[in-house]
């Protein structure tokens, strides 16, 4: 595993494969769309008030059910020119397609992996796997 100096000891930034497993675990029978996303979004409506001002329906986010205690909120993203967009949620992974493109979990009305190279996105630290020898 790559050395991670951002997260606390015993934690790491998520890899592409971990985001794919995460996304798959919340689908049932090939289910797609908002039902899947609602399972990971915070149930606290106050976190979503800013997204109601966006005209694009895919960037509007309402509170979810948070069945899995992930507590996702619309953290937005920033483009390299400094413009900030406060809708949806984008989480970087430690996985890269090439020297420029980083796999990112995009959460709008669905969960899917995208490639970005000039966006500044959120990160999510997750606990390292526990050794089965312990």
């Amino acid at each position: 595993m790559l050395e991670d100096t951002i997260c606390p000891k015993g934690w790491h930034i998520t890899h592409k494969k971990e985001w794919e497993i995460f996304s798959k675990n919340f689908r049932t029978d090939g289910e797609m769309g908002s039902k899947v996303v609602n399972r990971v979004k915070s149930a606290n409506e106050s976190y979503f008030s800013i997204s109601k001002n966006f005209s694009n329906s895919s960037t509007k986010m309402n509170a979810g059910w948070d069945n899995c205690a992930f507590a996702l909120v619309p953290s937005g993203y920033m483009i390299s020119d400094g413009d900030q967009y406060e809708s949806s949620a984008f989480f970087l992974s430690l996985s890269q397609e090439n020297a420029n493109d980083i796999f990112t979990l995009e959460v709008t009305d669905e969960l899917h992996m995208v490639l970005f190279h000039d966006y500044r996105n959120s990160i999510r630290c997750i606990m390292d796997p526990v050794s089965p020898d312990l």
Side-chain angles (χ1 to χ4, degrees):
M1 187 172 292
L2 294 173
E3 181 68 25
D4 183 345
T5 59
I6 295 173
C7 298
K9 185 175 173 58
W11 295 73
H12 66 278
I13 296 173
T14 314
H15 293 267
K16 176 187 178 210
K17 184 69 173 171
E18 291 168 319
W19 279 130
E20 289 171 344
I21 292 167
F22 172 83
S23 298
K24 182 180 177 187
N25 285 341
F26 293 100
R27 298 185 200 288
T28 57
D29 299 324
E31 176 183 57
M32 301 291 282
S34 62
K35 284 186 179 179
V36 176
V37 174
N38 280 332
R39 291 188 186 110
V40 300
K41 290 192 306 185
S42 171
N44 186 335
E45 187 67 41
S46 65
Y47 291 127
F48 297 88
S49 60
I50 191 160
S51 73
K52 294 183 182 7
N53 298 326
F54 292 99
S55 58
N56 184 341
S57 63
S58 70
T59 60
K60 289 183 181 183
M61 292 182 80
N62 296 310
W65 311 316
D66 201 17
N67 301 86
C68 63
F70 188 75
L72 181 138
V73 297
S75 54
Y77 61 94
M78 183 182 289
I79 298 177
S80 60
D81 63 8
D83 287 343
Q84 184 174 358
Y85 299 88
E86 298 172 333
S87 65
S88 309
F90 298 84
F91 297 98
L92 289 175
S93 74
L94 281 181
S95 306
Q96 291 186 252
E97 173 76 2
N98 54 49
N100 297 316
D101 296 318
I102 300 172
F103 284 101
T104 304
L105 177 71
E106 177 183 20
V107 184
T108 53
D109 54 351
E110 293 202 29
L111 299 170
H112 40 125
M113 295 302 296
V114 294
L115 287 170
F116 285 125
H117 68 273
D118 62 349
Y119 285 34
R120 296 180 180 128
N121 298 304
S122 300
I123 61 166
R124 191 76 180 225
C125 295
I126 64 170
M127 190 179 296
D128 293 342
V130 177
S131 171
D133 298 328
L134 295 179

